[in-house]
Amino acid sequence: MRRLFILMFLLLAAIGPLLAAAQTGPGASAAAYDQARLGMLRDLDRLDRQLNDPRLSDSDIDRLRSDLEQQRDVVTKQRTAQREEATAAQTLLEALGPAPDASQPRESAAVAETRRQLTLRAQRAQDAVKETDLALVRLAAMQEKLTTESREQFTRRLAYRGTAPIVPDFWGQALTDLPTAWNDAMNGLAPEALPGRTTLIQTVLVAVAMLLLGLPLAALLRRRQGVNAHVTAPSPERRSVAALVEWLRRAAVPVAALWACYAVLNANGWLDAGPFGLLVSGLGYGLSLGLLATGLAGAALARRHPEWALIDLPGGERDSLLVRVKIFSLLALLGAPFVTLFGAHQTGSAGRDVVALVVTLYFLSFSLAIADRRLWRATTAEQRRLLVSWYSVLGIAVLALFALLLGYYSIGRFLAAGLLLTQLSFGTFLLLRLGFRDALKPAAESPSVELGDGQKPGSEAARRLSSTGRFMAGLAIDLLLLCGFIAMLLLAWGMSVSTLGGYALQLVYGVTIGSVTLSLVDVLVAMLLLAGGVGLTRFISGGLNMRLEGQTQIDAGVRNSIVTGVAYIGYVLSGILAVGALGLNLSNLAIIAGALSVGIGFGLQNIVNNFVSGLILLIERPVKVGDWVVVGGKEGYVRRINVRSTEIETFPRASVIVPNSELIANSVMNWTHRDKFGRVDIEIGLAYGSDVDKAETVLLGCLKQHKDILAYPAPYVVLRSFGESALNFVLRGHIANVERRMGIESEIRKEIYKACLRNDIAIPYNQTDVHFADLDRIEGFLREFKGKGRDGV
């Protein structure tokens, strides 16, 4: 019993603060939960009533979409907080342990009350999670309904048919509507409707700050990577980077400053409605369009330095194209404010139709002027392939004009605006992609490429990125630019900024698939964690390898095993962190892995077998990096032990990839398993009749005199056998490095040959001697035969 009280005291002391919070806070927590729940329900009911209002306009739809996204953000945060609350309460309950049953001693009243309060707290948090899940479902349904309503309004707007321009009454009514709308707008520009002094000061400060940040940076880039008049034959990569820098200077920096000022005015509420907001919005759109068009044309054509142009056009065609772009930009700057004012203000239907007619004709004229085939006759064959788009431009222009003649002004303006913005977006996308990708190329590796002022070909600054780094950076740039291009196409062909922003926010906040919610932020964080973990693991393993390499007493195989093991642990931890950042439950993954274990066992058994064999090789180290091994008739050095296989480099410098399972299951001869201590065996045959004792002394002296033959164990010579042609001797001596065995044997054989010559010890050829039994009689017979001669026979 005493031990029970001591254990209870320690438990309460460990979780005392948490229990106190659980006991003192339920009332306040319940009140806060009820208040948040009621507020959430009121907001949802309010948004539902606004959504069902039949008088929704485009501005109302945009505002309601923004409100829905904000409410979704609030509810998502509430759900996250309630999930954390439920997890915390459940953790405290687990710390208390299970409630005692009837056969066990009863727990104290304080602990029982704490258990009850924690149970209520966990249940309340789980109920709140269910409420927020239901609210998110309602919000998703309202967003879907809002999207449907926006689509229907867009369809109704396109299907609107006004009076055809060929009807005389149309122009008379338009001339009446436009002056009336102008007078109403000017009357609305009262002094009190204009921005105050504070707003103007903020706008000017933001514009100055943006220009002070952007212009020096653009000037620096222009000096280092811009057009260099002293270079008359720049490379294609150098021209692409210079064009990108020129576009940034002419278009990107001014447009960024312009929209920063626009954001200030919008944040202060001066662009919500009224003539001033319409005029400023139109001015911003027109100026942005003009800057993008002139910046794109100036960067690609390089009028002052034609040798730096991305598109090689003759002087006349180039000047004509630039003049057309400038006229378009000037008309956009002057006409956009009035078009915005008359198109959205209280203008009659005839007046709005005239504005739509003028805008459509303006867009079509510029599109046809840019795509004029006469301007592109002198281009290269690759560039002329783009002329195929001329027929698409012409076809869309014909459709737009036909719609105008029938009175479908919205369709005509929709086609014309989409066509023009598609052309500008595509040109900008190509310029940015070409410039950024060429900036990543190792231009300095080529002596014919000049990077810029102060940078020499082959300099270290141009080789900062490895080939893998350049590939990954180029892939990231392509993805970002492609997303931007798709977004511009969606905006060009009817999608509103608020709708596009809503989809983007939905990706950011997360898409729910079953019980798993994946968001773009979580995916990016997981990718960053994985990349950072892999990079940190490689940095640590590389540093550890260098540190261990300096320790001469550590074997190379041991060093490789340690470094490889550290790398495996780092990769596994990086993967776990990335999975955790995605919000995936590791227990669910374990269940899935268990369910797939049978399939993995049959389908991936070889891979798993080799992987486990690789781990065994790293732990037991029967074969390690640097060993001299013989496997299946292949002989060489172990260069690398990978997850699945081991690389062996043969003496002729060929790489043999051996699965790890073969090294575990089959016999392997390892010359340098524990150490490099070894023995040389040299066989030699001496002629019959040689002095055996003298020969043994001479051969043993050759062994002992060599510097690499160890004194212990002592070398020795044995007469191994009586061969058919020679007496076979074997010389054996031990050496410290068996890897030098072949060279040592060759040197000893040379000494043996020289010693045999000095001591008249014959080394016979491989031959067979014939012996006769009665040589004396044969010799007499031959002399008698020679004396008589051949004639006397």
Side-chain angles (χ1 to χ4, degrees), residues 155 222 272 298 355 376 415 426 441 504 517 630 637 689-690 758:
T155 304
R222 189 182 186 189
D272 293 338
V355 172
W376 309 97
L415 293 175
F426 184 68
K441 289 183 178 179
T517 301
V630 180
Y637 290 102
S690 302
R758 289 195 304 266

Side-chain angles (χ1 to χ4, degrees), residues 517-585:
T517 301
L518 295 178
S519 67
L520 183 61
V521 174
D522 293 339
V523 173
L524 292 178
V525 170
M527 293 175 62
L528 290 177
L529 286 176
L530 183 60
V534 171
L536 182 61
T537 300
R538 291 183 176 180
F539 175 77
I540 293 175
S541 59
L544 181 62
N545 187 32
M546 294 177 61
R547 193 75 173 268
L548 295 177
E549 192 175 5
Q551 304 293 330
T552 56
Q553 67 272 20
I554 297 180
D555 185 72
V558 177
R559 184 179 73 247
N560 177 77
S561 298
I562 294 174
V563 172
T564 305
V566 171
Y568 285 170
I569 294 173
Y571 294 149
V572 171
L573 291 178
S574 300
I576 293 175
L577 288 176
V579 172
L582 287 175
L584 300 178
N585 193 346

Side-chain angles (χ1 to χ4, degrees), residues 587-607:
S587 61
N588 295 336
L589 294 181
I591 294 174
I592 296 174
L596 296 177
S597 59
V598 177
I600 292 175
F602 285 102
L604 303 177
Q605 55 181 344
N606 290 332
I607 296 177

Side-chain angles (χ1 to χ4, degrees), residues 184 238 255 574 650 743 781:
D184 294 340
R238 185 69 178 84
V255 170
S574 300
T650 63
F781 177 77

Side-chain angles (χ1 to χ4, degrees), residues 225-226 236-246 434-435 438-440:
Q225 300 291 343
E237 293 83 3
R238 185 69 178 84
R239 291 201 305 266
S240 301
V241 176
L244 174 62
V245 170
E246 193 68 17
L434 192 62
D438 286 343
L440 294 175

Side-chain angles (χ1 to χ4, degrees), residues 357-380:
L357 176 63
V358 172
V359 170
T360 303
L361 293 177
Y362 165 71
F363 283 162
L364 291 179
S365 300
F366 182 66
S367 298
L368 295 175
I370 292 178
D372 190 353
R373 299 182 63 181
R374 294 173 297 180
L375 298 175
W376 309 97
R377 293 174 181 173
T379 54
T380 61

